[in-house]
Amino acid sequence: MEILLAQESGFCFGVRRAVKIAYEAKEKWGEVYTYGELIHNRQFIAKLTEDGIKVAEDMNGIPPGAVVIIRSHGISPQEERELRERFKVIDATCPYVKKSQKIAAKEVRSGKELVIFGDRSHPEIRGILGYTQGAGVVLSSPEEASSLPTSSRRAVISQTTNDLEDYKKFVGGLLENTERLTVHQTICSSTIQKHRSAKEIAGKVDLMLVIGGKHSSNTRKLYKACRAIQPNTYHIETPQELDLIDWRKYERIGITAGASTPDFIIKAVMEKIKEEGHD
Ligand code: SF4
């Protein structure tokens, strides 16, 4: 049995950076809170909590003046203002998300309608919407894009973790009803490389495993992208979930992992396959 691990698997640049910032803050200040879960991975959140980095779901759960970390997804400027008034804030927003926030604010200031390709309920998108003063429209499919009314001037950005091919189709939908369209490539290079290497592996194996939190949006997109190439693709969160799949009958198993999947889980999955697989 052969295991092929995609080159770009697991923590991305922005998540590694946010985790480093959180541990440095803990070292310096003793008690720190993250404003929302630092990453969408239950096992890693349990580890952070164990190490004394607490999760606050809202501002009321944080003692006045405490040290609070803004996670890599970023937040709206309105929320950030309030957070800074009440606490000592350390900003771990990913630079790629910052770039999207700046583009959104600039395009809306210039009078364009801003279309955002993404998931309205995702924290990154909620934060970006705060920069659009109500002029941002969030859509999630090319069909929705092509059904918009005709406009003379629009700008479009994408959630940083979307698949590039999906974004191209989405932009195609907007071209049907927009006279002058400004397209910004806001998918981060980490996502592009991760999807590219995962798709490459998915085309070479009999079974593809995508490891990551079940509520992690970027892992779900990675799963969808792999599944389009290899129908025999499974999204698992822990090594124990391997027991739900008849994986031992396959000769070549491909593995990739979402941007919020820690190395220790990827390693545990690989070890289980090596230890329990046939020769
Ligand atoms: S997926 Fe990309 S944008 Fe999101 S945190 Fe990671 S590097 Fe930053």
Side-chain angles (χ1 to χ4, degrees), residues 11 15-20 22-23 34 37-55 212-213 215 237-238 259-265:
F11 278 7
V15 166
R16 274 189 207 287
R17 179 176 171 272
V19 169
K20 185 168 177 273
Y23 275 100
T34 62
E37 290 186 342
L38 198 63
I39 58 171
H40 290 148
N41 184 280
R42 279 182 289 189
Q43 294 74 22
F44 197 73
I45 292 299
K47 179 177 163 28
L48 286 174
T49 311
E50 210 179 284
D51 293 342
I53 298 164
K54 300 171 188 168
V55 180
H215 60 313
E237 187 168 326
T238 61
S260 45
T261 309
D263 289 347
F264 67 82
I265 297 185

Side-chain angles (χ1 to χ4, degrees), residues 1-3 206 247-253 278-279:
M1 181 182 290
E2 194 185 355
I3 303 173
D206 324 305
W247 56 273
R248 287 178 186 82
K249 66 180 183 188
Y250 299 104
E251 286 303 324
R252 295 185 106 193
I253 299 180
H278 60 77
D279 299 325

Side-chain angles (χ1 to χ4, degrees), residues 82-156:
E82 190 181 344
L83 209 61
R84 288 191 184 279
E85 278 165 14
R86 296 172 57 176
F87 312 104
K88 174 168 178 49
V89 173
I90 299 176
D91 188 0
T93 306
C94 178
Y96 289 110
V97 176
K98 283 255 180 227
K99 180 182 126 188
S100 294
Q101 293 172 342
K102 280 186 192 148
I103 292 171
K106 191 168 162 239
E107 291 294 24
V108 167
R109 266 200 313 273
S110 74
K112 287 179 201 153
E113 177 188 286
L114 181 76
V115 179
I116 305 166
F117 175 43
D119 172 2
R120 174 173 281 278
S121 64
H122 192 275
E124 175 188 322
I125 299 302
R126 290 205 308 267
I128 290 172
L129 271 178
Y131 284 82
T132 67
Q133 292 156 25
V137 180
V138 185
L139 302 173
S140 59
S141 68
E143 293 73 31
E144 285 179 345
S146 61
S147 65
L148 282 178
T150 301
S151 167
S152 57
R153 265 175 103 217
R154 276 192 180 113
V156 59

Side-chain angles (χ1 to χ4, degrees), residues 3 247-248 268-279:
I3 303 173
W247 56 273
R248 287 178 186 82
V269 170
M270 290 181 72
E271 271 166 16
K272 187 172 164 73
I273 294 174
K274 280 180 196 154
E275 280 164 20
E276 298 177 19
H278 60 77
D279 299 325

Side-chain angles (χ1 to χ4, degrees), residues 182-221:
T182 309
V183 181
H184 296 276
Q185 205 308 71
T186 53
I187 299 173
C188 73
S189 56
S190 177
T191 296
I192 290 175
Q193 282 161 15
K194 191 184 291 284
H195 279 223
R196 195 175 288 150
S197 56
K199 286 175 184 174
E200 204 183 302
I201 298 277
K204 292 180 182 165
V205 296
D206 324 305
L207 170 74
M208 187 74 193
L209 299 172
V210 181
I211 312 168
K214 289 283 160 63
H215 60 313
S216 156
S217 155
N218 79 77
T219 308
R220 287 203 303 259
K221 283 172 193 157

